[in-house]
Amino acid sequence: MMVGSDRITDQAMTAEREMEKKMSIKYCSICGAKMTTRIPEDDDHIRPVCNRCGHVHYDNPKLVVGCIPMLEDQVLLCKRNIEPRKGKWTLPAGYLENGETVEQGAVRETLEETRSHVSIIAPYRMFNLVFVHQIYLMFRARLLDTDFGPTKESTDVQLFSESEIPWDNIAFESIRQTLADFFSDRPGRAYSFEIKQIMPPEKHAGPA
Amino acid sequence: MMVGSDRITDQAMTAEREMEKKMSIKYCSICGAKMTTRIPEDDDHIRPVCNRCGHVHYDNPKLVVGCIPMLEDQVLLCKRNIEPRKGKWTLPAGYLENGETVEQGAVRETLEETRSHVSIIAPYRMFNLVFVHQIYLMFRARLLDTDFGPTKESTDVQLFSESEIPWDNIAFESIRQTLADFFSDRPGRAYSFEIKQIMPPEKHAGPA
């Protein structure tokens, strides 16, 4: 889903910007009246609330689901055709949609971004990306066909063995860590599920 | 967060009701103009779109985070003071908020619903509740104090050993399964992370 991937951004969102985002909710989506920002009754978070009908606008973190499509000693990567990080390589992943399980979402995103089918093996990594209100959930998956190729969302789709991975050209830190952990776990085939945290780019910037 | 828990409902949401929900988004929250429902450009889902400014309204599944607060051979349950399932027992859980990790969300919900502090041990269960657009993530946690007690959200908070669990009076199927799995795994201390699916109440109704 191109729009979903498009909405994935890794810009740091400070408390100030978060408030700005809340202030951008100017009108009630139910009755059309002006919204204010305040703490609703029985709540403890500031949220946009309708002055007329009382409707509260909630904004919660979104789940990004994806996978490592594996074929023998190779994994399938796709080259992003969408900003942010257009031209960089990534694993297939995108926003979970209503009406699907996390596994179905990962399979769908893989099909949309690589044209290939996978079967989910097991959950592998979760990442907290607090600064962009995203939770990543990455699965290990078996690549079922080799009919992969470019899509609207990917200019290139290719299999890579560990030594071929374009480490300096990976789109997101969550994806880089997923791949690094996977190839580190691979010799012992000990793929336990772990939750990790990704810090804003500013915070881990410095001598690389 | 009372409002968050309040929004948790286990009613089946059919495709028809889902469309109704989309149709309820009548006005653009950014510019106040009328919305229509259609497939936006480069998308493949029907969504509310603004006729004037082009703003697209996204609605994605929400993450519910919670835990099993453990103290020796007991777990801490709370009696719901909020609909749905007011008066039924449950584990502390609620919607993940922007600005927190999944672990922090589980700790916060436990404090809000039981007044007690926990330290997170490990992720234990995830549940797909496709029919209500929710993904549950339940952790095992260590209860750090016994100063628990009633809160705005819970009329009663108590420790239960396995034989004392009010199995016929558990608020949600996801919570009942988490508890059943936990006490099943407990003798061998083999608590592996698993993802399961909860079907709508209608679909698993029948001779109990």
Side-chain angles (χ1 to χ4, degrees):
Chain A
M1 199 264 297
M2 186 178 278
V3 174
S5 308
D6 209 3
R7 286 185 294 152
I8 298 174
T9 160
D10 62 346
Q11 290 179 284
M13 182 176 280
T14 61
E16 200 175 315
R17 290 192 51 223
E18 212 166 297
M19 187 53 72
E20 263 173 39
K21 194 179 169 195
K22 282 177 185 170
M23 299 291 284
S24 78
I25 306 296
K26 289 193 165 58
Y27 299 93
C28 177
S29 59
I30 307 301
C31 81
K34 284 272 177 73
M35 300 287 269
T36 45
T37 49
R38 61 177 172 85
I39 299 176
E41 200 183 341
D42 291 328
D43 201 340
D44 43 19
H45 284 73
I46 293 178
R47 305 186 202 269
V49 182
C50 177
N51 284 328
R52 184 161 63 194
C53 76
H55 170 68
V56 181
H57 175 92
Y58 294 97
D59 186 32
N60 298 81
K62 289 193 199 298
L63 204 46
V64 175
V65 290
C67 74
I68 311 170
M70 309 185 300
L71 184 71
E72 291 164 12
D73 68 335
Q74 297 180 300
V75 301
L76 195 67
L77 299 182
C78 35
K79 198 173 193 173
R80 288 176 63 83
N81 191 28
I82 315 165
E83 293 295 351
R85 309 299 176 90
K86 189 169 170 171
K88 301 274 185 183
W89 291 90
T90 191
L91 288 166
Y95 286 113
L96 183 66
E97 293 282 352
N98 289 344
E100 63 187 9
T101 65
V102 288
E103 295 90 340
Q104 288 166 345
V107 168
R108 174 185 53 74
E109 287 290 343
T110 305
L111 183 61
E112 289 176 2
E113 298 184 356
T114 73
R115 264 179 17 212
S116 67
H117 295 82
V118 289
S119 71
I120 297 295
I121 298 172
Y124 181 60
R125 282 290 177 275
M126 178 173 274
F127 294 98
N128 288 297
L129 278 82
V130 171
F131 58 108
V132 281
H133 307 164
Q134 290 174 0
I135 308 294
Y136 268 68
L137 176 59
M138 301 298 295
F139 292 87
R140 288 187 305 117
R142 190 169 291 111
L143 187 62
L144 299 178
D145 58 55
T146 51
D147 297 336
F148 55 81
T151 64
K152 272 202 296 186
E153 306 180 36
S154 311
T155 55
D156 198 0
V157 178
Q158 276 188 43
L159 283 166
F160 293 85
S161 63
E162 182 175 4
S163 63
E164 297 164 337
I165 299 276
W167 292 108
D168 295 335
N169 225 2
I170 300 295
F172 303 106
E173 174 60 16
S174 51
I175 301 301
R176 196 201 60 76
Q177 273 201 37
T178 300
L179 287 167
D181 287 359
F182 171 74
F183 284 113
S184 165
D185 284 352
R186 202 167 182 282
R189 300 290 192 279
Y191 303 109
S192 65
F193 178 72
E194 279 180 38
I195 305 181
K196 296 188 167 188
Q197 191 154 353
I198 304 286
M199 302 305 287
E202 289 79 356
K203 295 220 173 131
H204 61 69
Chain B
M1 199 263 298
M2 186 176 276
V3 172
S5 308
D6 209 3
R7 286 185 293 154
I8 299 174
T9 161
D10 62 348
Q11 289 179 284
M13 181 176 281
T14 61
E16 200 175 315
R17 289 192 52 222
E18 213 166 298
M19 187 52 74
E20 264 174 38
K21 194 180 168 195
K22 282 177 185 170
M23 300 292 284
S24 77
I25 306 295
K26 287 193 167 61
Y27 299 93
C28 176
S29 59
I30 307 300
C31 81
K34 283 271 178 74
M35 300 286 268
T36 45
T37 50
R38 61 177 173 85
I39 299 176
E41 199 183 341
D42 291 328
D43 201 341
D44 44 19
H45 284 73
I46 294 178
R47 308 186 199 269
V49 182
C50 177
N51 285 328
R52 185 160 61 194
C53 77
H55 170 69
V56 181
H57 176 93
Y58 295 96
D59 186 33
N60 299 82
K62 289 190 199 301
L63 203 47
V64 175
V65 291
C67 74
I68 312 169
M70 310 186 298
L71 184 71
E72 290 163 11
D73 68 334
Q74 297 179 300
V75 301
L76 195 67
L77 298 183
C78 35
K79 199 173 193 174
R80 288 176 63 84
N81 192 29
I82 314 166
E83 293 295 351
R85 308 301 173 89
K86 189 171 171 170
K88 300 273 186 185
W89 290 89
T90 191
L91 287 166
Y95 285 113
L96 183 66
E97 294 282 353
N98 288 345
E100 63 187 10
T101 65
V102 288
E103 296 91 339
Q104 288 166 344
V107 168
R108 174 185 53 74
E109 287 289 344
T110 306
L111 184 61
E112 289 175 3
E113 297 184 357
T114 73
R115 264 179 16 212
S116 67
H117 296 82
V118 289
S119 70
I120 297 296
I121 299 172
Y124 181 59
R125 282 290 176 275
M126 178 173 274
F127 294 98
N128 288 297
L129 278 83
V130 171
F131 58 108
V132 281
H133 307 165
Q134 291 174 1
I135 307 295
Y136 268 68
L137 177 59
M138 301 298 294
F139 292 88
R140 288 188 304 116
R142 191 168 291 112
L143 187 61
L144 298 177
D145 59 55
T146 51
D147 297 336
F148 54 81
T151 63
K152 273 200 297 186
E153 305 179 36
S154 312
T155 55
D156 198 359
V157 178
Q158 276 187 43
L159 283 165
F160 293 85
S161 62
E162 182 175 4
S163 62
E164 298 164 336
I165 299 276
W167 291 108
D168 295 335
N169 224 3
I170 300 294
F172 302 106
E173 175 59 17
S174 51
I175 301 300
R176 196 200 60 74
Q177 273 201 36
T178 300
L179 287 167
D181 288 357
F182 171 74
F183 283 114
S184 166
D185 285 350
R186 202 167 182 283
R189 300 289 192 280
Y191 303 110
S192 65
F193 178 73
E194 279 179 38
I195 305 182
K196 296 188 167 188
Q197 191 153 354
I198 303 286
M199 302 305 287
E202 289 81 353
K203 295 220 173 131
H204 61 70

